[in-house]
């Protein structure tokens, strides 16, 4: 298995704020690697270090076998990068933007059209429209086309789906899957925990520290407690009742149910919880033991 | 059950930009104390509709009453009766926590005495008395968002509009934020909220789904799921938005 990205104890501070603390991750050839964490976790700082836009305070990293400090120019030529904010030229047309990126990387649209075609063809009918006048979804497709036009081996995307509705998010991940099939390694960051399952491996990151690096399944399998999904007729009353229950450990809402863990490690009598909730005037109570999701795991590690 | 108190009444509301119909003849009602989820894909017309309901933009046609006031003639009265918070703009970064509270409370016309009392109440409720004199920019995003919400309802508005209030915040803070929403709703504040998190859609009493300028569905989450024969709001969203 070839290593595409490797970091060794990367640290980065901004004044008194530690943005990254001893970051060690390895991204393998051909995988989709997800950097999963909320705003302020350090995702963008790490990505900007790997794309050679900022320097780490200490630590080292290799990208495609090149050193992020000594070989920064080569790295910039080799990778495709889609920053978090829309970074294209608003006053150039769709086609002009793509042409510009192709020219900068010493290639042409025609030469690599095969790779961008599935994405670019969706916006090609607007090729004479200024980029600034595109809808959010179309801007995203153009930015991705521009990041791919020089046929990079590694694609780095900083929060491509933030603020994007669930339908467009799904479509974007479908595009990433196709790019993976074309042999491109992908490093992608996201604040949406549910996108973890779409990655081959993920790093959960919070407060500048990596909480865990593994496949989504092994992170889920390592959840240390029994987890229960509880629902009742009144959500808010249910949450308050469970929080006041003497053995409650964590009480988190998940859609129409509450995910509950108990402070006791022994086998839990769900009948006892049921009775307690009934005594608190709750009705239609359902209690089921369930498997954890990535979001449960993330909160457990926070 | 007594007839619910209507705080938002929208009738055939339409907004056109040239030939483009951003909001196309929408009608709905929102009840007092309700948590109303206003969902839709990017570009479906949510922001445009919300700007009209807040009295910021005039409609092309149609009518709406917000807290009993007309969105054509009484926009200044509407602004006094509503609170507004968005992910993008919340608090002034280079003012302290207390200064931000004072600023917003002042804008809404609270007296010095009220401001003092509200500031103490708010800080103690959030458990951040010690941050009173900290600059906003020194706070983590989660705290900013919770504070921004508390400030948005400092004048006890009838309705609070929340535009993607939890975007990007960590999963624990996101849930603490919803505790504040439930709390406000229990005190009778009507909550009108947009979100891209479909689990949060489940926390709403009722949900409307906007597709290409129209409201294509409006009901309780449980009934929407039943009607579309699916088990999650995510699937309801996919079915509606994909058409």
């Amino acid at each position: 298995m070839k290593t595409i990205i490797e970091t060794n104890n990367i640290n980065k501070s901004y004044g008194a704020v530690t943005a990254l603390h001893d970051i060690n991750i390895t991204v393998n050839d051909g995988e989709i690697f997800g950097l999963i964490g909320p705003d302020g976790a350090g995702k963008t700082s790490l990505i900007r270090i790997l794309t050679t836009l900022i320097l780490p305070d200490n630590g080292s990293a290799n990208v495609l076998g090149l050193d992020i400090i000594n070989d920064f120019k080569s790295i910039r030529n080799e990778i495709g990068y889609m920053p978090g904010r829309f970074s294209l030229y608003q006053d150039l047309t769709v086609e002009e933007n793509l042409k510009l990126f192709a020219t900068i990387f010493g290639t042409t649209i025609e030469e690599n059209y095969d790779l961008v075609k599935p994405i670019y063809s969706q916006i090609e009918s607007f090729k004479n429209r200024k980029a600034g006048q595109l809808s959010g979804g179309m801007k995203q497709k153009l930015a991705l086309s521009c990041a791919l036009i020089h046929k990079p081996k590694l694609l780095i995307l900083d929060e491509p789906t933030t603020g994007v509705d669930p339908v467009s998010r799904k479509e974007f991940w479908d595009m990433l899957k196709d790019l993976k099939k074309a042999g491109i390694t992908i490093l992608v960051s996201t604040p949406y925990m549910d996108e973890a399952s779409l990655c081959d491996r993920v790093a959960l990151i919070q407060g500048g520290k990596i909480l865990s690096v593994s496949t989504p399944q092994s992170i889920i399998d390592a959840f240390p407690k029994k987890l229960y999904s509880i629902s009742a007729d009144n959500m808010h009353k249910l949450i308050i009742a469970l929080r006041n229950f003497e053995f409650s450990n964590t009480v988190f809402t998940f859609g129409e149910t509450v995910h509950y863990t108990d402070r006791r490690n022994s086998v839990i009598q769900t009948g006892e919880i049921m009775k307690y909730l009934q005594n608190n005037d709750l009705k239609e109570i359902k209690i089921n033991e369930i498997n954890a999701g990535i979001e449960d795991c993330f909160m457990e590690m926070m | 059950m007594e007839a619910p108190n209507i705080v938002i009444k929208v009738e055939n509301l339409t907004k056109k930009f040239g030939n483009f119909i951003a909001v196309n003849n929408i009608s709905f009602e929102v009840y007092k104390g309700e948590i109303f989820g206003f969902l839709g894909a990017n570009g479906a017309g949510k922001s445009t509709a919300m700007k009209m309901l807040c009295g910021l933009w005039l409609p092309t046609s149609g009518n709406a009453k917000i807290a009993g006031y007309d969105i054509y003639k009484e926009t200044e009265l509407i602004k006094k009766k509503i609170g507004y918070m968005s992910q993008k703009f919340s608090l002034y970064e280079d003012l302290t926590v207390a200064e931000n509270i004072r600023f917003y409370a002042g804008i809404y016309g609270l007296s010095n005495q009220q401001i003092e009392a509200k500031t103490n109440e708010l800080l103690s409720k959030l458990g951040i008395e010690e941050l009173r004199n900290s600059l906003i920019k020194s706070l983590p995003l989660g705290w900013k968002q919770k504070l921004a919400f508390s400030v948005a309802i400092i004048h006890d508005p009838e309705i609070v509009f929340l535009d993607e209030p939890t975007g990007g915040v960590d999963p624990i803070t996101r849930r603490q934020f919803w505790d504040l929403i439930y709390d406000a709703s229990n005190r009778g504040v009507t909550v009108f909220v947009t979100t891209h998190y479909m689990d949060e859609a489940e926390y709403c009493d009722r949900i409307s789904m906007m597709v290409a300028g129209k409201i294509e569905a409006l009901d309780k989450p449980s009934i929407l799921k039943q009607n579309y024969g699916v088990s999650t709001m995510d699937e309801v969203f996919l079915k509606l938005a994909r058409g």
Side-chain angles (χ1 to χ4, degrees), chain B residues 34-48:
Chain B
E34 181 173 42
I35 303 177
F36 188 86
F38 197 58
L39 308 188
N42 299 104
K46 298 190 302 288
S47 298
T48 305

Side-chain angles (χ1 to χ4, degrees), chain B:
Chain B
M1 212 171 89
E2 57 185 306
N5 221 328
I6 295 167
V7 291
I8 298 178
K9 189 172 177 64
V10 177
E11 287 174 315
N12 308 319
L13 198 65
T14 298
K15 180 77 179 178
K16 293 181 189 170
F17 299 101
N19 290 327
F20 178 68
I21 307 174
V23 173
N24 192 352
N25 205 24
I26 61 172
S27 301
F28 62 95
E29 290 168 351
V30 180
Y31 310 127
K32 183 173 169 57
E34 181 173 42
I35 303 177
F36 188 86
F38 197 58
L39 308 188
N42 299 104
K46 298 190 302 288
S47 298
T48 305
M50 212 147 149
K51 283 199 170 109
M52 291 191 281
L53 300 184
C54 291
L56 297 174
W57 283 359
L58 286 176
T60 307
S61 61
N63 289 301
K65 286 209 160 166
I66 310 299
Y69 296 117
D70 181 81
I71 58 163
Y72 290 94
K73 295 177 206 144
E74 297 171 311
T75 54
E76 290 313 305
L77 291 167
I78 289 174
K79 287 173 195 168
K80 285 184 186 159
K81 289 286 178 190
I82 65 171
Y84 176 80
M85 175 200 160
S86 82
Q87 186 197 350
K88 284 158 213 137
F89 175 78
S90 44
L91 301 165
Y92 289 92
E93 295 275 305
D94 50 358
L95 295 182
T96 66
V97 169
E99 285 166 345
N100 265 285
I101 297 173
R102 174 160 189 82
F103 178 76
Y104 280 98
I107 283 182
Y108 284 115
L110 271 63
S111 69
N112 282 342
Q113 246 180 340
Q114 285 172 316
I115 293 175
E116 179 65 26
K118 277 276 181 190
T119 303
N120 292 333
E121 180 194 320
L122 194 158
L123 293 177
S124 105
K125 198 171 161 205
L126 293 176
I128 53 167
E129 283 103 332
E130 74 283 3
L131 298 178
R132 177 187 284 260
N133 296 316
S134 304
L135 288 180
I136 292 297
K137 65 180 167 200
S138 72
L139 303 185
L141 178 74
W143 277 119
K144 283 186 206 170
Q145 297 301 86
K146 282 185 261 185
L147 189 61
F149 176 72
S150 305
V151 167
I153 56 170
I154 200 156
H155 55 303
D156 296 318
E158 290 203 27
I159 308 157
V160 62
F161 289 88
L162 306 173
D163 196 0
E164 284 184 49
T166 57
V169 305
D170 72 67
I172 290 182
T173 307
R174 203 151 69 78
R175 288 168 172 82
Q176 290 167 344
F177 193 91
W178 273 87
D179 284 345
L180 295 177
I181 293 182
Y182 277 126
D183 199 54
S185 152
N186 282 342
R187 286 193 323 243
V189 179
T190 304
V191 180
F192 189 98
V193 59
T194 72
T195 179
H196 284 319
Y197 292 101
M198 285 304 119
D199 60 333
E200 294 186 346
E202 306 266 9
Y203 308 157
C204 300
D205 296 313
R206 288 190 308 147
I207 281 168
S208 72
M209 280 279 191
M210 240 178 133
V211 181
K214 291 184 181 166
I215 290 185
E216 290 292 343
L218 195 167
D219 221 314
K220 292 179 181 169
S222 57
I223 293 176
L224 286 176
K225 285 185 282 184
Q226 206 179 329
N227 288 351
Y228 288 90
V230 294
S231 59
T232 64
M233 279 308 298
D234 212 32
E235 293 166 279
V236 173
F237 193 100
L238 284 173
K239 282 204 166 180
L240 273 166
R242 276 249 164 85

Side-chain angles (χ1 to χ4, degrees), chain A residues 103-174:
Chain A
T103 311
I104 288 172
F105 286 105
T107 181
T108 59
I109 297 179
E110 294 71 31
E111 199 174 320
N112 292 316
Y113 189 73
D114 283 353
L115 184 66
V116 298
K117 188 184 168 194
I119 301 155
Y120 187 62
S121 62
Q122 298 175 43
I123 51 171
E124 209 164 7
S125 52
F126 301 99
K127 67 181 180 185
N128 295 320
R129 189 182 285 194
K130 295 233 162 74
Q133 290 160 3
L134 297 177
S135 74
M138 288 197 283
K139 282 181 181 173
Q140 206 187 27
K141 282 170 188 152
L142 178 57
L144 184 57
S145 301
C146 290
L148 287 169
I149 196 63
H150 59 299
K151 219 173 183 174
K153 284 197 194 70
L154 168 66
L155 181 62
I156 298 180
L157 309 138
D158 195 5
E159 296 200 30
T161 55
T162 293
V164 174
D165 69 71
V167 177
S168 310
R169 282 210 276 146
K170 196 169 177 297
E171 286 170 357
F172 196 83
W173 277 94
D174 288 342

Side-chain angles (χ1 to χ4, degrees), chain A residues 18-21 23 37-42 205-211 298 302:
Chain A
T18 305
L20 295 171
H21 183 80
I23 302 290
D39 286 2
I205 181 170
Q206 159 80 356
K209 289 180 187 157
I210 303 278
L211 304 174
F298 195 96
M302 268 176 75

Side-chain angles (χ1 to χ4, degrees), chain A residues 20 35 70 72 91 104 123 127 160 167 187 190 194 203 212 218 221 240 246 257 285 288:
Chain A
L20 295 171
L35 208 50
N70 296 321
F72 75 95
D91 52 351
I104 288 172
I123 51 171
K127 67 181 180 185
V167 177
L187 172 68
T190 177
D194 58 344
S212 176
S218 359
D221 291 344
I240 292 168
E246 61 175 317
T257 73
I285 304 162
N288 293 306

